[in-house]
Amino acid sequence: MEQANGRGADRPEMRWNGWGDPDRAKDLPLAVRGLLPLLLGRVPRPPRAPALDDVRVRPSRLTADDRDALAAVVGPDAVDVTTSVRLRHAGGRSTPDLLRRRHPEQDAPDAVAFPADHDAVRACLALAGERGIAVIPFGGGTSVVGALDPETGRHRAVVSLDLRRLSGLLHLDPLSGQATLAAGTTGPEAEALLGAQGFELGHFPQSFRYATIGGFAAARSSGQNSAGNGRFDAMVTGIRVATPTGDLDLGRAPGSAAGPDLVRLFLGSEGIFGVITEVRVRVHPVPTDRIFESWTFPDFDRGADALRRVVQQGAGPTVIRLSDEAETAVSLAQVGRIGKALAKGAGVVTVFEGEDAAGRRDRTAAILAAAGGRSAGTGDAEDWAAGRFDGPYLRDALLDAGVFCETLETATTWSNLRTLKEAVEAALRDGFDAADARSYIMCHVSHVYPTGASLYFTVLAGLRRDPLGAWALVKGKVNDAILANGGTISHHHAVGRDHAPWLAEEIGDTGMRILTAVKRELDPRGIMNPGAVLADVPIGTTV
Amino acid sequence: MEQANGRGADRPEMRWNGWGDPDRAKDLPLAVRGLLPLLLGRVPRPPRAPALDDVRVRPSRLTADDRDALAAVVGPDAVDVTTSVRLRHAGGRSTPDLLRRRHPEQDAPDAVAFPADHDAVRACLALAGERGIAVIPFGGGTSVVGALDPETGRHRAVVSLDLRRLSGLLHLDPLSGQATLAAGTTGPEAEALLGAQGFELGHFPQSFRYATIGGFAAARSSGQNSAGNGRFDAMVTGIRVATPTGDLDLGRAPGSAAGPDLVRLFLGSEGIFGVITEVRVRVHPVPTDRIFESWTFPDFDRGADALRRVVQQGAGPTVIRLSDEAETAVSLAQVGRIGKALAKGAGVVTVFEGEDAAGRRDRTAAILAAAGGRSAGTGDAEDWAAGRFDGPYLRDALLDAGVFCETLETATTWSNLRTLKEAVEAALRDGFDAADARSYIMCHVSHVYPTGASLYFTVLAGLRRDPLGAWALVKGKVNDAILANGGTISHHHAVGRDHAPWLAEEIGDTGMRILTAVKRELDPRGIMNPGAVLADVPIGTTV
């Protein structure tokens, strides 16, 4: 089912300098425009961003011979050095990425290659190794941690390897509930292909509409249905990988004690060891029942305690999420309704899908009610579900209005949740105060485990000058606070380049030595995504 | 709560050349003695095994200076070179191990050291590295894959590192349901310590009474309650490790995307990278309800299909296991009843513990009944639970009677279950036929996943001569058959030395290169458990 030639599936292109479908970009809702000056003070509207064709990019450093050699591997139509295509592969979708996309002069990879299959990927890596060219694997382009920056490392050029032609459902084992998907398949493509056979993957991160199966694996993604379906880590039963020095085909059985689970070494590797080309995942029948219910708790702490009880008692919601008072107040959980009313307390959304949905709803509701929650009917939960992928559109409108908006996330144990939340909020607040900016900080819990939960923060700030520089300082303080207070530097956004300087503190020097040893073994020239995950680790030499 | 000195906890010693409590060793039940000649023909009773004091062992190759240096690290009473203690650390509890324990001349480590804590472990590894002495980490001594063989590798001597003094509950976080246990804590010790606080780990492999928390982690164990509580892999939230070149403290959050999950690189590492000294695990309140129910299916295939439906529909049994027709016939699942009656069909045991046990029982029963099962009341399931840890005693009695008895296990997808079962059975049958021995082969499914299940085989054979040599040939054919038919070489017994020659076929050359690179980085002299997991990989030099 792979595309045999050309650029692959007829896939909608994301807005080059913002989120999603360009036709769906919209202005700020009137209510928000009224609310913002109250929260953040007045901020100047930034200069209009340049059009794609007006951006200046340095010429490609690939030689004609490089381009010919790449074309010999991937096909003559599958190497692109045009400015527009290079710019579309110049980074991910963090707020700093989008702010950089507003500059008249921008960085970009020297070319974009579109390999058609696993063998072409492997050949690209071999060629890049021989010629001393760095390679950035590119799935849906939705990284928010700088994993797609066109960094050359010690090499003379850098190529973005767009995996969109590795698309399709390669195998379905309906009895075992297992599917093999090509790594470049997007979330919607995967669900359409599986749905036609009666199955669902059920992985719905906010990036779902554009992100790819390989990206979910490489970044250790977690979706909004994680309470029911697990993190993407837990869905993966096998992977195929091309590295500069050899292939891997890992994951033979649903459970194994045949040495360490090497699949887990590639989940979260973000392209620094090689390219994931196929992913085998657990799938389940498309759910028929779907029950929505929202709840209100007096405050975040009571709500968090209720979520803990639900997951520790195995009540079985498919989705369960809790907004803190600040997020509940502006109804950010329901993008469509933002600003309509300043709700009180802490809101919880629950969704139940699949087998025994009604029974699981009843068991969950009993626990939530006993823990101090009040059912608020179905409306808010349905609104959340309807707008669940639309948050990033709002960010673009905020940036257009000069309002800084970014998200970050971490996780910790239940007993440490309040401490970590307060530490992150203090770091954010103090950081923006130092930049002389008013800020509004919201938080939600959207991924729960028996032993703990994630914390996802959304920040709005009235940064009046140098938002990139100001945010870099704030974000650094937040990372320090996370590590000093028992959190992980990322629950599901991954490391990329933005978190890389903090990884050593999380996994220790010996942990860094392990990752470096694996990278040296598989990628001795250091061509794979240099600077991502492992910052400042000298691997490879120029050729 | 660690023991400050001496040899640590007052722990019952396992029978040195067999399983378990020496006082519980017993003769074969009369019914079995009647059944065996019918199944296997007559076999000669082997010569009586030597007593511990009569076994000849080569003198320790440690110098007086080595012993003094070790004693300086672990304490003067904590280095032992006596023959009896060396023999008690000479291997695990596979059938080949037990057959070797019946020889008048045996191999054994040159000494046994009993470090008291993490720092003493680290100091032992440093000392061993300096002096060119191999180190075999030793927990409960229950390996059945040769992970504890006293192999020196390229070194001049080998020391067994007995971790029993690293015992205790180091920390309990009741709100998060998380406990940190010292690695040498045995299963019963852990449950007693946790139970006193109202919590349970709930990991019950057959080795439970002797095996240790660190061993469960190092070998990727799976327990009988895995349907409800998950494999040990899934229970671990963090580990502390001492390696010859640095420490690790891994696992900061219940979910993380901070690079690859390095905890998983040590789960299943069987001491080849270092020594796991502490394990943080998920725990849950001690269950109050416990419901037993057994079922009968017309045949194995119908039973397996029913188990698949139960796990894919998330019905939630704590234990679910299916014996094939051969195992059901001799009631091997109920050791106490073996041979009492030749039951028909394929028997299923279910147990439900914890929250909503009755509801989960009802949902499971509905699926089993709809899939063609007939409830057989509570008796067989209760019998199974009562005898769940006693199987190995029966093996000792069989070996005493000259009957070869061994187990092996694998796992695969649901769609491949029947193919793999038949391939393993054919390899076993053909192998014993070639050895001119009658055999009786039984199988059960005891670990289920949405995508597949384990297969656990018990074989009895009337090997009349050289059982060690004959079994080596048969076992080799079985491993080949497993890999040729889509299985894993081990679902929960691990690799050790017995499976090591097959690991490269399971994870590929690139996978082997990864493990070797990590070992070279952490253990450059190759002192850690040489020959385990990585067979014939040249690491380290003599000093």
Side-chain angles (χ1 to χ4, degrees):
Chain A
M1 296 184 205
E2 289 175 29
Q3 302 292 325
N5 48 47
R7 293 288 172 81
D10 184 22
R11 182 180 295 177
E13 288 278 1
M14 188 158 29
R15 187 179 157 189
W16 79 277
N17 60 354
W19 183 260
D21 180 354
D23 294 340
R24 294 189 58 192
K26 53 185 101 169
D27 282 343
L28 278 182
L30 206 64
V32 179
R33 270 193 277 173
L35 190 60
L36 285 171
L38 302 176
L39 296 178
L40 306 175
R42 299 222 163 265
V43 286
R45 211 174 166 87
R48 202 175 162 77
L52 180 57
D53 293 340
D54 296 334
V55 174
R56 291 189 303 278
V57 178
R58 110 186 106 49
S60 172
R61 291 164 297 195
L62 289 196
T63 65
D65 189 59
D66 291 333
R67 290 202 297 272
D68 290 347
L70 259 180
V73 164
V74 296
D77 298 337
V79 183
D80 203 319
V81 294
T82 59
T83 301
S84 65
V85 170
R86 289 170 59 203
L87 277 171
R88 285 182 181 280
H89 294 80
R93 288 298 183 281
S94 70
T95 297
D97 285 329
L98 300 185
L99 292 173
R100 281 190 287 264
R101 296 287 85 75
R102 288 161 182 261
H103 279 222
E105 190 153 358
Q106 297 180 23
D107 198 6
D110 295 291
V112 183
F114 298 84
D117 55 24
H118 176 92
D119 291 344
V121 170
R122 184 175 44 190
C124 282
L125 303 189
L127 188 75
E130 287 163 18
R131 288 175 177 254
I133 298 170
V135 174
I136 316 288
F138 192 99
T142 62
S143 169
V144 290
V145 291
L148 305 173
D149 293 358
E151 189 166 330
T152 53
R154 304 172 155 220
H155 307 289
R156 64 183 167 88
V158 55
V159 169
S160 174
L161 206 69
D162 188 315
L163 301 168
R164 69 180 62 194
R165 288 170 76 192
L166 280 74
S167 175
L169 174 61
L170 305 178
H171 180 69
L172 176 68
D173 176 349
L175 197 77
S176 308
Q178 202 166 246
T180 306
L181 290 154
T185 314
T186 66
E189 288 167 1
E191 293 299 3
L193 290 163
L194 290 166
Q197 312 281 328
F199 286 90
E200 181 194 75
L201 172 56
H203 182 70
F204 302 113
Q206 200 171 46
S207 61
F208 166 75
R209 287 184 179 145
Y210 295 91
T212 61
I213 299 298
F216 296 149
R220 301 183 70 190
S221 173
S222 193
Q224 294 164 349
N225 292 17
S226 65
N229 300 337
R231 319 170 41 90
F232 199 71
D233 286 10
M235 299 182 181
V236 174
T237 61
I239 49 171
R240 191 177 181 201
V241 184
T243 82
T245 60
D247 285 357
L248 291 130
D249 196 347
L250 296 169
R252 287 180 72 90
S256 174
D261 183 358
L262 294 181
V263 171
R264 302 301 186 119
L265 200 57
F266 289 89
L267 302 182
S269 65
E270 300 183 58
I272 64 168
F273 300 146
V275 178
I276 297 171
T277 60
E278 295 176 13
V279 184
R280 200 164 63 243
V281 287
R282 192 182 73 203
V283 297
H284 53 259
V286 175
T288 47
D289 291 348
R290 183 168 288 138
I291 302 170
F292 297 93
E293 186 165 17
S294 41
W295 293 75
T296 301
F297 282 82
D299 53 38
F300 175 82
D301 287 348
R302 296 285 288 273
D305 187 62
L307 265 60
R308 177 183 66 79
R309 291 168 191 271
V310 166
V311 62
Q312 290 184 344
Q313 293 177 35
T318 307
V319 175
I320 189 161
R321 45 195 296 136
L322 162 71
S323 294
D324 74 353
E325 295 85 346
E327 187 171 291
T328 303
V330 298
S331 296
L332 195 83
Q334 294 88 251
V335 167
R337 298 183 56 207
I338 186 167
K340 278 191 189 155
L342 289 179
K344 298 266 183 237
V348 166
V349 163
T350 60
V351 185
F352 303 86
E353 295 179 356
E355 295 290 335
D356 190 36
R360 292 188 282 117
R361 181 265 160 205
D362 290 348
R363 291 192 291 282
T364 302
I367 296 169
L368 293 178
R374 195 165 45 77
S375 175
T378 61
D380 286 354
E382 287 173 346
D383 285 354
W384 168 81
R388 65 198 288 188
F389 303 125
D390 292 339
Y393 285 109
L394 185 61
R395 179 179 55 166
D396 284 325
L398 289 165
L399 295 179
D400 285 342
V403 173
F404 182 87
C405 172
E406 180 58 302
T407 65
L408 61 92
E409 36 80 65
T410 179
T412 189
T413 55
W414 289 111
S415 60
N416 192 49
L417 201 67
R418 154 66 48 192
T419 300
L420 181 60
K421 180 173 188 282
E422 287 178 351
V424 172
E425 286 168 349
L428 285 165
R429 205 166 38 237
D430 295 352
F432 285 116
D433 282 355
D436 197 23
R438 286 172 66 182
S439 58
Y440 190 75
I441 301 160
M442 296 161 276
C443 179
H444 63 247
V445 171
S446 45
H447 306 271
V448 292
Y449 304 86
T451 56
S454 67
L455 289 168
Y456 190 101
F457 298 87
T458 304
V459 294
L460 305 176
L463 286 168
R464 283 184 293 264
R465 58 193 164 276
D466 186 20
L468 269 171
W471 175 244
L473 288 175
V474 176
K475 174 81 173 169
K477 285 182 197 302
V478 170
N479 289 342
D480 292 342
I482 285 173
L483 289 169
N485 287 278
T488 175
I489 53 165
S490 175
H491 170 267
H492 62 270
H493 284 169
V495 179
R497 288 171 184 80
D498 296 355
H499 292 148
W502 283 266
L503 185 61
E505 192 170 336
E506 172 135 357
I507 66 173
D509 288 344
T510 310
M512 295 297 282
R513 284 172 47 215
I514 292 171
L515 293 179
T516 305
V518 174
K519 183 162 172 73
R520 283 216 173 89
E521 178 67 30
L522 299 178
D523 177 25
R525 299 200 167 171
I527 59 165
M528 297 305 308
N529 213 358
V533 186
L534 302 172
D536 306 320
V537 172
I539 292 176
T541 51
T542 53
V543 175
Chain B
M1 297 182 206
E2 288 174 31
Q3 301 293 326
N5 48 44
R7 292 289 171 79
D10 184 21
R11 183 181 294 177
E13 288 279 1
M14 188 158 30
R15 188 179 157 190
W16 78 278
N17 60 353
W19 184 261
D21 180 354
D23 294 339
R24 293 190 58 193
K26 53 185 102 170
D27 283 342
L28 279 181
L30 207 64
V32 178
R33 270 192 276 173
L35 191 60
L36 285 171
L38 302 176
L39 296 177
L40 306 174
R42 297 224 164 261
V43 287
R45 212 175 166 86
R48 203 175 162 78
L52 180 58
D53 292 341
D54 296 334
V55 175
R56 291 190 303 278
V57 179
R58 108 185 109 50
S60 172
R61 291 165 297 195
L62 289 197
T63 65
D65 189 58
D66 291 333
R67 291 202 297 272
D68 290 347
L70 259 179
V73 165
V74 295
D77 299 336
V79 182
D80 203 318
V81 294
T82 60
T83 301
S84 64
V85 170
R86 289 169 60 205
L87 277 172
R88 286 183 180 280
H89 294 80
R93 289 296 184 279
S94 70
T95 296
D97 286 329
L98 300 187
L99 292 172
R100 280 192 286 263
R101 294 288 87 74
R102 289 161 182 262
H103 279 225
E105 191 151 358
Q106 299 181 22
D107 197 7
D110 294 292
V112 183
F114 299 82
D117 55 24
H118 177 93
D119 290 344
V121 169
R122 184 175 46 192
C124 283
L125 303 189
L127 188 74
E130 286 162 19
R131 288 175 177 254
I133 299 170
V135 174
I136 316 289
F138 192 99
T142 62
S143 170
V144 290
V145 291
L148 305 173
D149 293 357
E151 190 166 329
T152 53
R154 307 175 153 217
H155 306 288
R156 64 182 168 88
V158 55
V159 169
S160 175
L161 206 68
D162 188 314
L163 301 169
R164 70 181 62 195
R165 289 170 76 191
L166 280 75
S167 175
L169 174 61
L170 306 178
H171 181 70
L172 176 69
D173 175 349
L175 197 77
S176 308
Q178 204 167 246
T180 306
L181 290 154
T185 315
T186 65
E189 289 167 359
E191 293 298 5
L193 290 163
L194 290 166
Q197 312 280 329
F199 286 91
E200 181 196 75
L201 174 56
H203 182 68
F204 302 112
Q206 200 170 46
S207 61
F208 166 75
R209 286 184 182 146
Y210 295 91
T212 61
I213 299 298
F216 296 150
R220 299 182 70 192
S221 174
S222 192
Q224 293 164 350
N225 292 17
S226 65
N229 299 339
R231 312 168 50 83
F232 199 71
D233 286 10
M235 298 181 183
V236 175
T237 61
I239 50 171
R240 189 176 182 201
V241 185
T243 81
T245 60
D247 285 358
L248 292 129
D249 196 346
L250 296 169
R252 284 180 73 91
S256 174
D261 183 357
L262 293 181
V263 171
R264 302 301 186 119
L265 200 58
F266 289 89
L267 302 182
S269 65
E270 300 182 57
I272 65 168
F273 301 145
V275 178
I276 297 170
T277 59
E278 295 176 14
V279 185
R280 200 164 62 242
V281 287
R282 193 182 73 203
V283 297
H284 53 258
V286 175
T288 47
D289 291 349
R290 182 168 290 139
I291 302 170
F292 298 92
E293 186 166 18
S294 41
W295 293 75
T296 302
F297 283 81
D299 55 36
F300 176 83
D301 287 349
R302 296 284 290 274
D305 187 63
L307 263 60
R308 177 182 66 78
R309 290 169 192 273
V310 166
V311 62
Q312 289 183 345
Q313 293 177 35
T318 306
V319 175
I320 189 162
R321 44 195 296 136
L322 161 72
S323 294
D324 74 354
E325 296 86 343
E327 187 170 291
T328 303
V330 297
S331 296
L332 195 83
Q334 293 87 253
V335 166
R337 297 183 57 207
I338 187 168
K340 279 192 191 156
L342 290 179
K344 299 266 182 234
V348 166
V349 163
T350 60
V351 184
F352 304 85
E353 295 179 356
E355 294 291 332
D356 191 35
R360 292 187 282 117
R361 181 265 160 204
D362 290 348
R363 290 192 291 283
T364 302
I367 296 169
L368 294 177
R374 194 164 46 76
S375 175
T378 61
D380 286 355
E382 287 172 346
D383 285 354
W384 168 80
R388 64 199 290 188
F389 303 125
D390 291 339
Y393 286 108
L394 185 60
R395 179 179 56 166
D396 284 325
L398 289 165
L399 295 178
D400 286 341
V403 174
F404 182 87
C405 173
E406 181 58 304
T407 65
L408 61 92
E409 37 78 64
T410 179
T412 189
T413 55
W414 289 110
S415 60
N416 192 50
L417 200 68
R418 154 64 50 191
T419 300
L420 181 60
K421 180 173 188 281
E422 287 177 352
V424 172
E425 286 169 347
L428 285 166
R429 207 166 36 238
D430 295 353
F432 285 116
D433 282 354
D436 197 23
R438 286 172 67 183
S439 59
Y440 190 75
I441 300 161
M442 297 161 276
C443 179
H444 64 249
V445 171
S446 46
H447 306 272
V448 293
Y449 304 87
T451 58
S454 67
L455 289 168
Y456 190 100
F457 299 87
T458 303
V459 295
L460 304 177
L463 285 167
R464 282 183 295 262
R465 57 192 163 275
D466 187 21
L468 270 171
W471 175 243
L473 288 175
V474 176
K475 174 80 174 171
K477 284 181 200 301
V478 170
N479 288 343
D480 292 343
I482 284 173
L483 290 169
N485 287 277
T488 175
I489 53 165
S490 176
H491 170 268
H492 61 270
H493 284 169
V495 179
R497 289 172 183 80
D498 297 354
H499 292 148
W502 284 266
L503 185 62
E505 192 170 335
E506 172 135 356
I507 66 172
D509 289 344
T510 310
M512 295 296 282
R513 284 172 46 216
I514 292 171
L515 293 180
T516 305
V518 174
K519 183 164 171 72
R520 282 214 176 90
E521 179 67 30
L522 299 179
D523 177 27
R525 299 201 167 170
I527 59 165
M528 296 306 308
N529 214 356
V533 186
L534 301 172
D536 306 321
V537 172
I539 293 176
T541 51
T542 53
V543 175

